[in-house]
Amino acid sequence: MLNVAIKPLPATVAEIRHGSCHLRSVADREENVILRAGSCLYRMNDEIDEVYLVNSGALKVHRFSESGEQQILGFYLAGDIVGLDALPTGIACSEAVALDTTSITRIRLSSVFEGREAFSSQDLVRLMGVSLTRENDLAMMLSQRTADRRLAWFLTEYANRLTVIGFSPKEFSLPMTRTDIALYLGLALETVCRELAGFEEQGLISKDRRRIKLLDMDALQHLATGDEHPCFAELTH
Amino acid sequence: MLNVAIKPLPATVAEIRHGSCHLRSVADREENVILRAGSCLYRMNDEIDEVYLVNSGALKVHRFSESGEQQILGFYLAGDIVGLDALPTGIACSEAVALDTTSITRIRLSSVFEGREAFSSQDLVRLMGVSLTRENDLAMMLSQRTADRRLAWFLTEYANRLTVIGFSPKEFSLPMTRTDIALYLGLALETVCRELAGFEEQGLISKDRRRIKLLDMDALQHLATGDEHPCFAELTH
DNA sequence: CGTGTGCTTGAGTGAGGTCAATACCTGTGG
DNA sequence: CCACAGGTATTGACCTCACTCAAGCACACG
């Protein structure tokens, strides 16, 4: 069922999704962009008629409310598509900033819809669905009020995404600041620090500034989902 | 620019979007379903190869985390499309429940992609973009921690959507319980009550159970966005 | 070697969560 | 018609968690 909607992605994109970056076949016809850390891919209210495929590096996508508060809506790594939220109007309602030196491929929408692109509008639908699901996850998490859960969720989620693109989920270097994490999770910067310190004390992680080692993935996972850790289950029941 | 992606919706759907419910031309070829309050359109992990257009009534879409907590991801009214989050996999990762007697039109995806439908896959992309933006809004709001803002946002947002489909934004009857609102906004049920009582005391709204009157839309709007209300601005600066 | 930016830690406070009791509204059955 | 039950809404008392304010540290940069 639903064979029309979920047919496998074309090779080029599928490969990207799984970590290799052999995008040359597409890239030759498209523009490849390199962003330095801190520079902006697009800003709020920019007119854009393209989406962006991340080849390597990392981006944050954020929005500002009218009162000037910031919310980070997502972090994007290799294989992710950014800019989808501009599709309905053609106007970006968010801003994308490189956290690192980042390589991007522009994909013009007109060529997607005219079938001149390596992936079709059906693939676009599929990718938007993925984005939608991820946003739902974010909403789920934000409504779980406790800080430790949010942070555990963030770490495990991030680790999982690293696995998908072929990096070690156990030990990695975060591209974003503590402030970014706080804005993403809807917490205060200090709470992020404190909670990370707490995790380290409990032996769940070890950390040195941006460098993170996950020592007890299971426990973090259980924290994130709200399950009790098996060995503590009897304490709370 | 982006004329390919944002061409106007076909008449039938466009009309629905603006409140009239002349869907017959499409409905004849499709299944129309009536749901009673409390019954389920689809459940988590159902295989679905269709999306649903709401003709009238109201739905809530919610998810359960592994630990059994509930998060309501959205309320859907006439003209809204539900079921988009199942697109990437064909498996629903949420559950849709009628809050009221609700009329639904099923739209098979296969017929959309084969061009046999009154709207095309490009329209689908557009609608998904709208969904995505709405989810972003939800995430923005959930990260604003104060309860009064969340509730003000909820009320104004709901009123705006009523306007779009041709109902009065000033006075309406909520289809959902306080518990639903609480689960949507990531608050405790009691906080919703207290905050609503507070709004009433301040003369922003009047209420009688589900029946709500918005008395000072401006003030609510300012509360929601975090701006100070003009007449209070000097107090906080 | 100072300066800035990011990170960490402490102390105090308040918004909102939890628990609990009560009121209200609707439908059912005697 | 009234009694009762179950779902819904409201209000109060208490307490905890995370925010705020504040100060100190560490690393990178010119």
Side-chain angles (χ1 to χ4, degrees), chain A residues 145-147 186-188 190-191 194 209:
Chain A
R145 292 145 314 291
T146 65
L187 296 172
E190 298 92 326
T191 307
R194 263 188 268 272
R209 292 176 74 75

PDB file of all heavy atoms in Angstrom, chain A residues 145-147 186-188 190-191 194 209, chain D residues 17-23 25-28:
ATOM      1  N   ARG A 145       7.738  18.685  30.724  1.00  0.00           N
ATOM      2  CA  ARG A 145       8.332  19.816  31.368  1.00  0.00           C
ATOM      3  C   ARG A 145       9.708  19.618  32.003  1.00  0.00           C
ATOM      4  O   ARG A 145      10.465  20.559  32.113  1.00  0.00           O
ATOM      5  CB  ARG A 145       7.380  20.391  32.405  1.00  0.00           C
ATOM      6  CG  ARG A 145       6.142  21.026  31.796  1.00  0.00           C
ATOM      7  CD  ARG A 145       4.939  20.815  32.646  1.00  0.00           C
ATOM      8  NE  ARG A 145       4.823  19.453  33.089  1.00  0.00           N
ATOM      9  CZ  ARG A 145       4.535  18.424  32.284  1.00  0.00           C
ATOM     10  NH1 ARG A 145       4.358  18.608  31.009  1.00  0.00           N
ATOM     11  NH2 ARG A 145       4.453  17.197  32.759  1.00  0.00           N
ATOM     12  N   THR A 146      10.046  18.430  32.434  1.00  0.00           N
ATOM     13  CA  THR A 146      11.275  18.330  33.221  1.00  0.00           C
ATOM     14  C   THR A 146      12.515  18.495  32.347  1.00  0.00           C
ATOM     15  O   THR A 146      12.607  17.973  31.236  1.00  0.00           O
ATOM     16  CB  THR A 146      11.350  16.994  33.974  1.00  0.00           C
ATOM     17  OG1 THR A 146      11.433  15.954  33.026  1.00  0.00           O
ATOM     18  CG2 THR A 146      10.131  16.789  34.845  1.00  0.00           C
ATOM     19  N   ALA A 147      13.462  19.223  32.919  1.00  0.00           N
ATOM     20  CA  ALA A 147      14.663  19.580  32.171  1.00  0.00           C
ATOM     21  C   ALA A 147      15.517  18.357  31.849  1.00  0.00           C
ATOM     22  O   ALA A 147      16.077  18.262  30.760  1.00  0.00           O
ATOM     23  CB  ALA A 147      15.478  20.588  32.972  1.00  0.00           C
ATOM     24  N   GLY A 186      13.943  25.066  25.052  1.00  0.00           N
ATOM     25  CA  GLY A 186      13.072  25.920  25.843  1.00  0.00           C
ATOM     26  C   GLY A 186      13.469  25.962  27.311  1.00  0.00           C
ATOM     27  O   GLY A 186      12.620  26.006  28.195  1.00  0.00           O
ATOM     28  N   LEU A 187      14.770  25.943  27.570  1.00  0.00           N
ATOM     29  CA  LEU A 187      15.272  25.978  28.938  1.00  0.00           C
ATOM     30  C   LEU A 187      16.198  27.180  29.107  1.00  0.00           C
ATOM     31  O   LEU A 187      16.568  27.815  28.129  1.00  0.00           O
ATOM     32  CB  LEU A 187      16.076  24.707  29.235  1.00  0.00           C
ATOM     33  CG  LEU A 187      15.338  23.378  29.211  1.00  0.00           C
ATOM     34  CD1 LEU A 187      16.312  22.225  29.323  1.00  0.00           C
ATOM     35  CD2 LEU A 187      14.308  23.325  30.327  1.00  0.00           C
ATOM     36  N   ALA A 188      16.557  27.465  30.349  1.00  0.00           N
ATOM     37  CA  ALA A 188      17.556  28.495  30.587  1.00  0.00           C
ATOM     38  C   ALA A 188      18.939  27.885  30.389  1.00  0.00           C
ATOM     39  O   ALA A 188      19.164  26.703  30.658  1.00  0.00           O
ATOM     40  CB  ALA A 188      17.420  29.057  31.993  1.00  0.00           C
ATOM     41  N   GLU A 190      21.565  28.169  32.049  1.00  0.00           N
ATOM     42  CA  GLU A 190      22.127  27.623  33.286  1.00  0.00           C
ATOM     43  C   GLU A 190      21.575  26.244  33.599  1.00  0.00           C
ATOM     44  O   GLU A 190      22.273  25.389  34.136  1.00  0.00           O
ATOM     45  CB  GLU A 190      21.839  28.559  34.467  1.00  0.00           C
ATOM     46  CG  GLU A 190      22.457  29.939  34.359  1.00  0.00           C
ATOM     47  CD  GLU A 190      21.527  30.929  33.708  1.00  0.00           C
ATOM     48  OE1 GLU A 190      20.757  30.519  32.817  1.00  0.00           O
ATOM     49  OE2 GLU A 190      21.574  32.112  34.080  1.00  0.00           O
ATOM     50  N   THR A 191      20.309  26.060  33.251  1.00  0.00           N
ATOM     51  CA  THR A 191      19.686  24.758  33.501  1.00  0.00           C
ATOM     52  C   THR A 191      20.353  23.679  32.655  1.00  0.00           C
ATOM     53  O   THR A 191      20.581  22.562  33.129  1.00  0.00           O
ATOM     54  CB  THR A 191      18.178  24.814  33.204  1.00  0.00           C
ATOM     55  OG1 THR A 191      17.619  25.902  33.924  1.00  0.00           O
ATOM     56  CG2 THR A 191      17.490  23.535  33.603  1.00  0.00           C
ATOM     57  N   ARG A 194      23.696  22.877  34.334  1.00  0.00           N
ATOM     58  CA  ARG A 194      23.478  22.139  35.583  1.00  0.00           C
ATOM     59  C   ARG A 194      23.066  20.705  35.301  1.00  0.00           C
ATOM     60  O   ARG A 194      23.554  19.760  35.924  1.00  0.00           O
ATOM     61  CB  ARG A 194      22.385  22.822  36.391  1.00  0.00           C
ATOM     62  CG  ARG A 194      22.927  23.740  37.458  1.00  0.00           C
ATOM     63  CD  ARG A 194      21.791  24.227  38.334  1.00  0.00           C
ATOM     64  NE  ARG A 194      21.254  25.487  37.827  1.00  0.00           N
ATOM     65  CZ  ARG A 194      21.746  26.672  38.187  1.00  0.00           C
ATOM     66  NH1 ARG A 194      22.763  26.756  39.013  1.00  0.00           N
ATOM     67  NH2 ARG A 194      21.224  27.782  37.707  1.00  0.00           N
ATOM     68  N   ARG A 209      33.635  20.600  27.773  1.00  0.00           N
ATOM     69  CA  ARG A 209      33.064  21.624  26.881  1.00  0.00           C
ATOM     70  C   ARG A 209      32.177  20.980  25.815  1.00  0.00           C
ATOM     71  O   ARG A 209      31.206  20.319  26.183  1.00  0.00           O
ATOM     72  CB  ARG A 209      34.169  22.500  26.296  1.00  0.00           C
ATOM     73  CG  ARG A 209      34.841  23.381  27.369  1.00  0.00           C
ATOM     74  CD  ARG A 209      35.989  24.198  26.859  1.00  0.00           C
ATOM     75  NE  ARG A 209      35.607  25.339  26.028  1.00  0.00           N
ATOM     76  CZ  ARG A 209      35.089  26.476  26.493  1.00  0.00           C
ATOM     77  NH1 ARG A 209      34.833  26.609  27.774  1.00  0.00           N
ATOM     78  NH2 ARG A 209      34.819  27.480  25.693  1.00  0.00           N
TER      79      ARG A 209
ATOM     80  P    DC D  17      11.749  18.576  42.454  1.00  0.00           P
ATOM     81  OP1  DC D  17      11.492  17.120  42.459  1.00  0.00           O
ATOM     82  OP2  DC D  17      12.897  19.146  43.197  1.00  0.00           O
ATOM     83  O5'  DC D  17      11.872  19.052  40.936  1.00  0.00           O
ATOM     84  C5'  DC D  17      10.691  19.277  40.182  1.00  0.00           C
ATOM     85  C4'  DC D  17      10.847  20.559  39.392  1.00  0.00           C
ATOM     86  O4'  DC D  17      10.719  21.705  40.258  1.00  0.00           O
ATOM     87  C3'  DC D  17      12.188  20.699  38.686  1.00  0.00           C
ATOM     88  O3'  DC D  17      11.912  20.957  37.332  1.00  0.00           O
ATOM     89  C2'  DC D  17      12.880  21.873  39.400  1.00  0.00           C
ATOM     90  C1'  DC D  17      11.697  22.674  39.930  1.00  0.00           C
ATOM     91  N1   DC D  17      11.915  23.456  41.174  1.00  0.00           N
ATOM     92  C2   DC D  17      11.367  24.750  41.301  1.00  0.00           C
ATOM     93  O2   DC D  17      10.739  25.228  40.360  1.00  0.00           O
ATOM     94  N3   DC D  17      11.540  25.427  42.459  1.00  0.00           N
ATOM     95  C4   DC D  17      12.219  24.884  43.460  1.00  0.00           C
ATOM     96  N4   DC D  17      12.356  25.596  44.585  1.00  0.00           N
ATOM     97  C5   DC D  17      12.784  23.580  43.358  1.00  0.00           C
ATOM     98  C6   DC D  17      12.620  22.899  42.210  1.00  0.00           C
ATOM     99  P    DA D  18      13.042  20.773  36.218  1.00  0.00           P
ATOM    100  OP1  DA D  18      12.411  20.043  35.109  1.00  0.00           O
ATOM    101  OP2  DA D  18      14.291  20.284  36.839  1.00  0.00           O
ATOM    102  O5'  DA D  18      13.290  22.267  35.726  1.00  0.00           O
ATOM    103  C5'  DA D  18      12.169  23.013  35.289  1.00  0.00           C
ATOM    104  C4'  DA D  18      12.429  24.492  35.456  1.00  0.00           C
ATOM    105  O4'  DA D  18      12.573  24.823  36.854  1.00  0.00           O
ATOM    106  C3'  DA D  18      13.707  25.000  34.779  1.00  0.00           C
ATOM    107  O3'  DA D  18      13.390  26.234  34.206  1.00  0.00           O
ATOM    108  C2'  DA D  18      14.660  25.161  35.947  1.00  0.00           C
ATOM    109  C1'  DA D  18      13.693  25.680  36.989  1.00  0.00           C
ATOM    110  N9   DA D  18      14.163  25.619  38.372  1.00  0.00           N
ATOM    111  C8   DA D  18      14.915  24.633  38.960  1.00  0.00           C
ATOM    112  N7   DA D  18      15.185  24.855  40.226  1.00  0.00           N
ATOM    113  C5   DA D  18      14.564  26.067  40.491  1.00  0.00           C
ATOM    114  C6   DA D  18      14.473  26.850  41.649  1.00  0.00           C
ATOM    115  N6   DA D  18      15.038  26.517  42.800  1.00  0.00           N
ATOM    116  N1   DA D  18      13.773  28.008  41.562  1.00  0.00           N
ATOM    117  C2   DA D  18      13.208  28.346  40.398  1.00  0.00           C
ATOM    118  N3   DA D  18      13.227  27.685  39.235  1.00  0.00           N
ATOM    119  C4   DA D  18      13.930  26.547  39.350  1.00  0.00           C
ATOM    120  P    DC D  19      14.217  26.838  32.994  1.00  0.00           P
ATOM    121  OP1  DC D  19      13.458  26.480  31.795  1.00  0.00           O
ATOM    122  OP2  DC D  19      15.646  26.494  33.106  1.00  0.00           O
ATOM    123  O5'  DC D  19      14.030  28.404  33.248  1.00  0.00           O
ATOM    124  C5'  DC D  19      12.753  28.898  33.645  1.00  0.00           C
ATOM    125  C4'  DC D  19      12.897  30.174  34.456  1.00  0.00           C
ATOM    126  O4'  DC D  19      13.294  29.846  35.811  1.00  0.00           O
ATOM    127  C3'  DC D  19      13.946  31.136  33.916  1.00  0.00           C
ATOM    128  O3'  DC D  19      13.399  32.439  33.769  1.00  0.00           O
ATOM    129  C2'  DC D  19      15.072  31.102  34.956  1.00  0.00           C
ATOM    130  C1'  DC D  19      14.343  30.706  36.223  1.00  0.00           C
ATOM    131  N1   DC D  19      15.199  29.941  37.179  1.00  0.00           N
ATOM    132  C2   DC D  19      15.357  30.385  38.497  1.00  0.00           C
ATOM    133  O2   DC D  19      14.780  31.420  38.849  1.00  0.00           O
ATOM    134  N3   DC D  19      16.130  29.668  39.349  1.00  0.00           N
ATOM    135  C4   DC D  19      16.726  28.556  38.938  1.00  0.00           C
ATOM    136  N4   DC D  19      17.468  27.896  39.810  1.00  0.00           N
ATOM    137  C5   DC D  19      16.590  28.080  37.601  1.00  0.00           C
ATOM    138  C6   DC D  19      15.823  28.800  36.756  1.00  0.00           C
ATOM    139  P    DT D  20      14.356  33.566  33.070  1.00  0.00           P
ATOM    140  OP1  DT D  20      13.440  34.420  32.282  1.00  0.00           O
ATOM    141  OP2  DT D  20      15.526  32.919  32.433  1.00  0.00           O
ATOM    142  O5'  DT D  20      14.921  34.397  34.300  1.00  0.00           O
ATOM    143  C5'  DT D  20      14.049  34.801  35.345  1.00  0.00           C
ATOM    144  C4'  DT D  20      14.856  35.498  36.431  1.00  0.00           C
ATOM    145  O4'  DT D  20      15.500  34.508  37.275  1.00  0.00           O
ATOM    146  C3'  DT D  20      15.976  36.404  35.897  1.00  0.00           C
ATOM    147  O3'  DT D  20      15.864  37.674  36.518  1.00  0.00           O
ATOM    148  C2'  DT D  20      17.258  35.675  36.278  1.00  0.00           C
ATOM    149  C1'  DT D  20      16.832  34.887  37.518  1.00  0.00           C
ATOM    150  N1   DT D  20      17.597  33.627  37.744  1.00  0.00           N
ATOM    151  C2   DT D  20      18.071  33.347  39.010  1.00  0.00           C
ATOM    152  O2   DT D  20      17.915  34.087  39.965  1.00  0.00           O
ATOM    153  N3   DT D  20      18.740  32.168  39.123  1.00  0.00           N
ATOM    154  C4   DT D  20      18.979  31.239  38.117  1.00  0.00           C
ATOM    155  O4   DT D  20      19.608  30.203  38.348  1.00  0.00           O
ATOM    156  C5   DT D  20      18.469  31.595  36.818  1.00  0.00           C
ATOM    157  C7   DT D  20      18.676  30.671  35.662  1.00  0.00           C
ATOM    158  C6   DT D  20      17.805  32.753  36.692  1.00  0.00           C
ATOM    159  P    DC D  21      16.794  38.891  36.022  1.00  0.00           P
ATOM    160  OP1  DC D  21      15.946  40.105  36.108  1.00  0.00           O
ATOM    161  OP2  DC D  21      17.432  38.524  34.748  1.00  0.00           O
ATOM    162  O5'  DC D  21      17.927  38.980  37.139  1.00  0.00           O
ATOM    163  C5'  DC D  21      17.554  38.928  38.514  1.00  0.00           C
ATOM    164  C4'  DC D  21      18.782  38.745  39.391  1.00  0.00           C
ATOM    165  O4'  DC D  21      19.191  37.360  39.368  1.00  0.00           O
ATOM    166  C3'  DC D  21      20.008  39.560  38.960  1.00  0.00           C
ATOM    167  O3'  DC D  21      20.605  40.110  40.126  1.00  0.00           O
ATOM    168  C2'  DC D  21      20.902  38.521  38.309  1.00  0.00           C
ATOM    169  C1'  DC D  21      20.592  37.308  39.198  1.00  0.00           C
ATOM    170  N1   DC D  21      20.933  35.997  38.600  1.00  0.00           N
ATOM    171  C2   DC D  21      21.436  34.985  39.441  1.00  0.00           C
ATOM    172  O2   DC D  21      21.590  35.216  40.638  1.00  0.00           O
ATOM    173  N3   DC D  21      21.742  33.794  38.903  1.00  0.00           N
ATOM    174  C4   DC D  21      21.575  33.584  37.594  1.00  0.00           C
ATOM    175  N4   DC D  21      21.887  32.383  37.111  1.00  0.00           N
ATOM    176  C5   DC D  21      21.060  34.597  36.729  1.00  0.00           C
ATOM    177  C6   DC D  21      20.759  35.785  37.274  1.00  0.00           C
ATOM    178  P    DA D  22      21.812  41.178  39.961  1.00  0.00           P
ATOM    179  OP1  DA D  22      21.515  42.245  40.948  1.00  0.00           O
ATOM    180  OP2  DA D  22      22.023  41.516  38.538  1.00  0.00           O
ATOM    181  O5'  DA D  22      23.086  40.351  40.454  1.00  0.00           O
ATOM    182  C5'  DA D  22      22.986  39.440  41.539  1.00  0.00           C
ATOM    183  C4'  DA D  22      24.266  38.648  41.654  1.00  0.00           C
ATOM    184  O4'  DA D  22      24.122  37.395  40.933  1.00  0.00           O
ATOM    185  C3'  DA D  22      25.510  39.340  41.069  1.00  0.00           C
ATOM    186  O3'  DA D  22      26.594  39.221  41.959  1.00  0.00           O
ATOM    187  C2'  DA D  22      25.750  38.570  39.779  1.00  0.00           C
ATOM    188  C1'  DA D  22      25.315  37.171  40.223  1.00  0.00           C
ATOM    189  N9   DA D  22      25.056  36.261  39.117  1.00  0.00           N
ATOM    190  C8   DA D  22      24.446  36.546  37.926  1.00  0.00           C
ATOM    191  N7   DA D  22      24.366  35.518  37.109  1.00  0.00           N
ATOM    192  C5   DA D  22      24.975  34.492  37.815  1.00  0.00           C
ATOM    193  C6   DA D  22      25.215  33.144  37.500  1.00  0.00           C
ATOM    194  N6   DA D  22      24.853  32.585  36.352  1.00  0.00           N
ATOM    195  N1   DA D  22      25.843  32.392  38.434  1.00  0.00           N
ATOM    196  C2   DA D  22      26.206  32.956  39.586  1.00  0.00           C
ATOM    197  N3   DA D  22      26.026  34.213  39.991  1.00  0.00           N
ATOM    198  C4   DA D  22      25.392  34.932  39.054  1.00  0.00           C
ATOM    199  P    DA D  23      27.892  40.152  41.784  1.00  0.00           P
ATOM    200  OP1  DA D  23      27.774  41.250  42.739  1.00  0.00           O
ATOM    201  OP2  DA D  23      28.084  40.439  40.342  1.00  0.00           O
ATOM    202  O5'  DA D  23      29.077  39.205  42.244  1.00  0.00           O
ATOM    203  C5'  DA D  23      28.829  37.993  42.968  1.00  0.00           C
ATOM    204  C4'  DA D  23      29.680  36.897  42.398  1.00  0.00           C
ATOM    205  O4'  DA D  23      28.996  36.289  41.271  1.00  0.00           O
ATOM    206  C3'  DA D  23      31.052  37.349  41.871  1.00  0.00           C
ATOM    207  O3'  DA D  23      32.077  36.687  42.593  1.00  0.00           O
ATOM    208  C2'  DA D  23      31.040  36.959  40.396  1.00  0.00           C
ATOM    209  C1'  DA D  23      29.976  35.867  40.349  1.00  0.00           C
ATOM    210  N9   DA D  23      29.349  35.707  39.044  1.00  0.00           N
ATOM    211  C8   DA D  23      28.785  36.662  38.244  1.00  0.00           C
ATOM    212  N7   DA D  23      28.297  36.191  37.112  1.00  0.00           N
ATOM    213  C5   DA D  23      28.564  34.836  37.187  1.00  0.00           C
ATOM    214  C6   DA D  23      28.305  33.779  36.292  1.00  0.00           C
ATOM    215  N6   DA D  23      27.688  33.944  35.122  1.00  0.00           N
ATOM    216  N1   DA D  23      28.699  32.540  36.669  1.00  0.00           N
ATOM    217  C2   DA D  23      29.312  32.383  37.848  1.00  0.00           C
ATOM    218  N3   DA D  23      29.603  33.295  38.770  1.00  0.00           N
ATOM    219  C4   DA D  23      29.208  34.514  38.363  1.00  0.00           C
ATOM    220  P    DC D  25      37.731  32.035  40.315  1.00  0.00           P
ATOM    221  OP1  DC D  25      38.386  31.264  41.389  1.00  0.00           O
ATOM    222  OP2  DC D  25      38.231  33.357  39.880  1.00  0.00           O
ATOM    223  O5'  DC D  25      37.638  31.112  39.016  1.00  0.00           O
ATOM    224  C5'  DC D  25      36.883  29.901  39.069  1.00  0.00           C
ATOM    225  C4'  DC D  25      36.759  29.355  37.670  1.00  0.00           C
ATOM    226  O4'  DC D  25      35.917  30.217  36.891  1.00  0.00           O
ATOM    227  C3'  DC D  25      38.104  29.269  36.925  1.00  0.00           C
ATOM    228  O3'  DC D  25      38.252  27.941  36.451  1.00  0.00           O
ATOM    229  C2'  DC D  25      37.963  30.284  35.795  1.00  0.00           C
ATOM    230  C1'  DC D  25      36.451  30.289  35.585  1.00  0.00           C
ATOM    231  N1   DC D  25      35.884  31.503  34.942  1.00  0.00           N
ATOM    232  C2   DC D  25      35.196  31.380  33.730  1.00  0.00           C
ATOM    233  O2   DC D  25      35.085  30.263  33.215  1.00  0.00           O
ATOM    234  N3   DC D  25      34.652  32.486  33.153  1.00  0.00           N
ATOM    235  C4   DC D  25      34.784  33.675  33.748  1.00  0.00           C
ATOM    236  N4   DC D  25      34.235  34.724  33.143  1.00  0.00           N
ATOM    237  C5   DC D  25      35.488  33.834  34.976  1.00  0.00           C
ATOM    238  C6   DC D  25      36.012  32.740  35.531  1.00  0.00           C
ATOM    239  P    DA D  26      39.616  27.469  35.822  1.00  0.00           P
ATOM    240  OP1  DA D  26      39.812  26.061  36.235  1.00  0.00           O
ATOM    241  OP2  DA D  26      40.663  28.486  36.072  1.00  0.00           O
ATOM    242  O5'  DA D  26      39.279  27.491  34.270  1.00  0.00           O
ATOM    243  C5'  DA D  26      38.375  26.527  33.744  1.00  0.00           C
ATOM    244  C4'  DA D  26      38.348  26.678  32.233  1.00  0.00           C
ATOM    245  O4'  DA D  26      37.707  27.928  31.890  1.00  0.00           O
ATOM    246  C3'  DA D  26      39.733  26.722  31.576  1.00  0.00           C
ATOM    247  O3'  DA D  26      39.627  26.077  30.334  1.00  0.00           O
ATOM    248  C2'  DA D  26      39.977  28.213  31.383  1.00  0.00           C
ATOM    249  C1'  DA D  26      38.560  28.663  31.032  1.00  0.00           C
ATOM    250  N9   DA D  26      38.267  30.075  31.248  1.00  0.00           N
ATOM    251  C8   DA D  26      38.643  30.851  32.303  1.00  0.00           C
ATOM    252  N7   DA D  26      38.204  32.088  32.238  1.00  0.00           N
ATOM    253  C5   DA D  26      37.479  32.112  31.047  1.00  0.00           C
ATOM    254  C6   DA D  26      36.760  33.121  30.393  1.00  0.00           C
ATOM    255  N6   DA D  26      36.643  34.359  30.862  1.00  0.00           N
ATOM    256  N1   DA D  26      36.159  32.808  29.219  1.00  0.00           N
ATOM    257  C2   DA D  26      36.278  31.555  28.744  1.00  0.00           C
ATOM    258  N3   DA D  26      36.922  30.521  29.274  1.00  0.00           N
ATOM    259  C4   DA D  26      37.510  30.875  30.431  1.00  0.00           C
ATOM    260  P    DC D  27      40.740  25.106  29.819  1.00  0.00           P
ATOM    261  OP1  DC D  27      40.198  23.749  29.982  1.00  0.00           O
ATOM    262  OP2  DC D  27      42.045  25.490  30.395  1.00  0.00           O
ATOM    263  O5'  DC D  27      40.760  25.449  28.259  1.00  0.00           O
ATOM    264  C5'  DC D  27      39.531  25.456  27.557  1.00  0.00           C
ATOM    265  C4'  DC D  27      39.421  26.704  26.712  1.00  0.00           C
ATOM    266  O4'  DC D  27      39.358  27.889  27.521  1.00  0.00           O
ATOM    267  C3'  DC D  27      40.587  26.927  25.762  1.00  0.00           C
ATOM    268  O3'  DC D  27      40.120  26.666  24.453  1.00  0.00           O
ATOM    269  C2'  DC D  27      40.976  28.396  25.966  1.00  0.00           C
ATOM    270  C1'  DC D  27      39.764  28.954  26.688  1.00  0.00           C
ATOM    271  N1   DC D  27      39.968  30.155  27.531  1.00  0.00           N
ATOM    272  C2   DC D  27      39.360  31.358  27.160  1.00  0.00           C
ATOM    273  O2   DC D  27      38.663  31.393  26.147  1.00  0.00           O
ATOM    274  N3   DC D  27      39.533  32.462  27.940  1.00  0.00           N
ATOM    275  C4   DC D  27      40.290  32.379  29.036  1.00  0.00           C
ATOM    276  N4   DC D  27      40.430  33.483  29.766  1.00  0.00           N
ATOM    277  C5   DC D  27      40.919  31.168  29.434  1.00  0.00           C
ATOM    278  C6   DC D  27      40.743  30.083  28.657  1.00  0.00           C
ATOM    279  P    DA D  28      41.168  26.619  23.239  1.00  0.00           P
ATOM    280  OP1  DA D  28      40.754  25.479  22.383  1.00  0.00           O
ATOM    281  OP2  DA D  28      42.549  26.719  23.749  1.00  0.00           O
ATOM    282  O5'  DA D  28      40.813  27.973  22.478  1.00  0.00           O
ATOM    283  C5'  DA D  28      39.471  28.238  22.082  1.00  0.00           C
ATOM    284  C4'  DA D  28      39.404  29.614  21.442  1.00  0.00           C
ATOM    285  O4'  DA D  28      39.522  30.626  22.474  1.00  0.00           O
ATOM    286  C3'  DA D  28      40.517  29.880  20.439  1.00  0.00           C
ATOM    287  O3'  DA D  28      39.978  30.569  19.320  1.00  0.00           O
ATOM    288  C2'  DA D  28      41.508  30.745  21.214  1.00  0.00           C
ATOM    289  C1'  DA D  28      40.582  31.513  22.147  1.00  0.00           C
ATOM    290  N9   DA D  28      41.186  31.938  23.418  1.00  0.00           N
ATOM    291  C8   DA D  28      42.021  31.224  24.217  1.00  0.00           C
ATOM    292  N7   DA D  28      42.390  31.865  25.312  1.00  0.00           N
ATOM    293  C5   DA D  28      41.736  33.086  25.209  1.00  0.00           C
ATOM    294  C6   DA D  28      41.705  34.222  26.044  1.00  0.00           C
ATOM    295  N6   DA D  28      42.376  34.301  27.203  1.00  0.00           N
ATOM    296  N1   DA D  28      40.957  35.268  25.636  1.00  0.00           N
ATOM    297  C2   DA D  28      40.286  35.182  24.484  1.00  0.00           C
ATOM    298  N3   DA D  28      40.248  34.167  23.628  1.00  0.00           N
ATOM    299  C4   DA D  28      40.996  33.143  24.045  1.00  0.00           C
TER     300       DA D  28
END
